[in-house]
């Protein structure tokens, strides 16, 4: 009885270990070399200069490898690349070791490249020559053809980047105020808003000057003098007639006497 129980327990334990290991093992989807080239953002050969632990420890953790490139097959031809990968092999992490040289297929963004053991990476011999079929048994003719002609990287004195992950936080932007825009109409000056006066315009005729309404003094004076001269002339004539008549009357009287 005891042996049967022990055998059963051993069988259960074996099943648990077997299924657990199978469930956590990395499983890759078969892809052609052309598909790997198309899916990658950067494809290059380079030597690992540093490997550090990433602050992102989700999914078993990550590591960041810094590689000094010698040839670039896709993407920007720059000297340094920072690539992150899972820390554990069962989680599809790729094994980067300082001093080793690799053909790397990386995806993601230029400032946050990532790769895995399913990306198609290959370990290469030390050196800086372009990839050749005899470098590794996994370098097939199909892969060499898909890689095409690389761009050789010109090494400069550029500083080696650190293994710290770049900040992925988006630059903060001030959100617009939630307050609704004021509906008050803009103040207008009294002069601008005052309605035009409804009073009728003044009908007062323009004042006339005394010179316009009064006859010229010289004209009146001339009329008075002219009338006075006529009157004097008439009186003189009457006087002459009277004297003549009186003289004639006196002469006839003396003659009759």
């Amino acid at each position: 009885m005891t042996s049967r129980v022990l055998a059963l327990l051993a069988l259960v334990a074996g099943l648990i270990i077997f299924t657990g290991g199978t469930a956590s093992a990395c499983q890759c989807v078969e892809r052609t070399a052309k598909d790997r080239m198309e899916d990658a953002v950067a494809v290059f050969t380079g030597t690992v200069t540093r490997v550090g632990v990433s602050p992102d420890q989700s999914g078993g953790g990550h590591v960041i490898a810094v590689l000094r490139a010698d040839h670039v097959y896709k993407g920007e031809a720059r000297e340094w690349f920072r690539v992150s990968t899972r820390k554990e092999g069962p989680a599809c992490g790729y094994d980067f070791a300082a001093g080793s040289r690799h053909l790397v297929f990386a995806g993601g963004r230029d400032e946050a490249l990532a790769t895995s053991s399913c990306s198609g990476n290959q370990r290469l011999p030390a050196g800086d020559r372009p990839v050749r079929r005899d470098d590794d048994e996994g370098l097939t003719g199909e892969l060499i053809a898909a890689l095409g002609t690389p761009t050789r990287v010109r090494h400069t004195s550029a500083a080696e980047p650190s293994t710290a992950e770049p900040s992925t936080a988006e630059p903060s932007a001030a959100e617009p105020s939630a307050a609704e825009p004021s509906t008050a109409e803009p103040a207008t000056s009294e002069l601008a808003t005052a309605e035009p006066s409804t009073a009728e315009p003044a009908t007062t005729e323009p004042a006339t000057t005394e010179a316009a309404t009064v006859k010229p003094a010289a004209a009146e004076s001339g009329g008075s003098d002219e009338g006075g001269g006529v009157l004097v002339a008439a009186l003189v004539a009457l006087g002459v007639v009277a004297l003549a008549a009186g003289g004639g009357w006196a002469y006839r009287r003396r003659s009759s006497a």
Side-chain angles (χ1 to χ4, degrees), residues 17-110:
I17 293 173
F18 178 77
T19 56
T22 303
S24 61
C26 177
Q27 298 180 354
C28 301
V29 178
E30 291 294 332
R31 293 184 298 163
T32 65
K34 182 179 179 181
D35 291 338
R36 290 174 180 173
M37 284 292 293
E38 291 177 352
D39 294 342
V41 171
V43 180
F44 62 93
T45 55
T47 302
V48 179
T49 60
R50 186 185 308 179
V51 179
V53 179
S54 170
D56 180 11
Q57 294 303 305
S58 62
H62 293 73
V63 295
I64 295 178
V66 177
L67 296 94
R68 190 177 190 222
D70 49 75
H71 288 84
V72 174
Y73 293 85
K74 182 177 181 180
E76 180 185 357
R78 60 177 188 256
E79 184 175 359
W80 298 99
F81 286 88
R82 297 173 66 258
V83 183
S84 67
T85 186
R86 294 284 183 139
K87 190 175 183 181
E88 302 294 338
C92 298
Y94 184 74
D95 185 19
F96 286 113
S100 59
R101 183 169 178 254
H102 304 265
L103 168 65
V104 180
F105 293 80
R109 297 177 297 174
D110 285 343

Side-chain angles (χ1 to χ4, degrees), residues 129-219:
R129 70 182 186 184
V131 174
R132 292 175 16 179
R133 286 195 63 177
D134 58 357
D135 288 339
D136 188 88
E137 61 181 10
L139 298 172
T140 63
E142 178 192 7
L143 176 58
I144 299 298
L147 289 173
T149 304
T151 300
R152 186 173 184 86
V153 177
R154 298 179 59 184
H155 291 165
T156 64
S157 58
E160 178 182 352
S162 68
T163 55
E165 283 199 59
S167 173
T168 57
E170 297 289 339
S172 59
E175 295 184 0
S177 173
E180 295 184 2
S182 173
T183 56
E185 296 182 359
T188 53
S189 63
E190 183 179 355
L191 180 60
T193 57
E195 296 183 0
S197 173
T198 56
E200 295 183 0
T203 56
T204 306
E205 297 181 357
T208 54
T209 60
E210 183 177 359
T213 55
V214 180
K215 293 181 179 180

